[in-house]
Amino acid sequence: MGKALYPPAFRQLSMREIRPEGWLLNQLKIQANGLSGNLDKFWPDIKASQWIGGCAEGWERLPYWLDGFIPLAWLLDDEDMKARACRYMDIIISNQAPDGWICPEKERGKGRAQYDLWAMFLILKVLVLYHDAAGDQRVEEVVRKALLALDRHIDRTTLFGWAHMRWFESLISIWWLYERTGEAWLLDLAAKLYAQGFDWIEFFKRWPYKKPDEKWRWSFMSHVVNNAMMLKSGALLWRLTGLSEHLNSAEYMVSLLDEHHGMVTGVFTGDECLAGTSPVQGTELCAVVEYMYSLEHLLAITGRSHWGDRLEKIAYNALPATFSPDMWTHQYDQQVNQVECSRQENPIFRTNGGESNLFGLEPNYGCCTANLSPGWPKLALSTFMRSPDGLVAAVYAPSTVNTNINGVQVTVTLKTDYPFRDTLNFIVNVDREVEFALDLRIPVWAEKPELKMGGFSLVLPSGGFYRVNRR
Ligand SMILES: [Zn+2]
């Protein structure tokens, strides 16, 4: 075993240990009955994806969808959805080339050298998720061979395009495999990707977007989804470097984005590049979902409670605002102050088209149609996390965790209507006597939060975590 990665403060539980309850369960059922649960039946980019031998898009859309559809299927324990997910993963795994290349060979007529590796980072992340869900023992070797292929590939064809901007997404699967095998070449691969990829942390030291680009130019660096995604890059990188500059980078980046592009919903504008502080500017749905995913990593790796506050703010405001209640339609761009929902002849959006704020199947562009899928399921997976001493109530939504602590089966249920009501009821059941810590996130906005337990009550300070350590 080589050098250990710096450990995260908290680790995600397996999706087989978490059960959504109450309104969250209902929301996931709505999503399963809406677009996410049905795209594979009719939408060509999923149904006839080049990933499974069809002729439609063979890049980011199928992995985006699977990234949400897989946890949705397992969190709902829906046999039909699970079988459909397995069929897709079986084909993708069996299509892997002998040399490890796992992406479509001739995507839209382009060969390997022209293929933007962003989609490879995505499918690797999905494979790791699928391993957790289905326990498919083939996955480790599939990921290993694919990463070896990636390692050889970038020696000749350095990162370009989206992969260049989103290189850090590859660290999710690299760290997963490294913690299982300890193979040193994985750290070298990570260093190579870091060297080839765009350095967001350096870029933010002389950040040119304190106001939106005057000529409304589209750019990778001001692209709203790239910005939402890159917020987790420093924390992921910190696991290798241990540098506080990496661990702390997101605080500085978020403060700049809030000041110059921030919205009351907790997200920043981008339609589809950073668009300033007017609440009639839009925010792309992909950015909302990716910001949430970045915050889930930031909360787990740093253990800082304010990332959970931000995650809830976005999940409970920006995410639901951009869907119809049945989750069959969505907007590309949501606006905090949207006074009408009609086609804009002179769109106020900076680089997006006039249909971006309509509700539909794929208004403006189809990325969000697929990438809306991970939003709710991954929030559900983040309600409880594991700490070295027990469990963490990280994000408040009705949920049950059933896990093993020191050889004892432990069930913790959070019964609540939060965020619609402000009471959280935790019910702890254990098979036999066991001592562990339950850390409760105390939102910084909470005024005189009160804990009642076993006949006493106390007022807690706002912010941080409050540890309940009991036998
Ligand atoms: Zn999108």
Side-chain angles (χ1 to χ4, degrees), residues 68-104:
F69 185 76
I70 289 171
L72 190 61
W74 265 266
L75 285 168
L76 292 174
D77 200 19
D78 183 306
E79 294 304 329
D80 176 58
M81 288 170 70
K82 287 198 262 187
R84 282 150 60 201
C86 288
R87 269 203 300 279
Y88 273 91
M89 296 310 294
D90 274 342
I91 299 173
I92 290 166
I93 288 171
S94 61
N95 280 349
Q96 187 174 32
D99 69 354
W101 183 263
I102 194 161
C103 305

Side-chain angles (χ1 to χ4, degrees), residues 284 286 332 367-368:
E284 186 188 331
C286 279
Y332 190 83
C367 52
C368 309

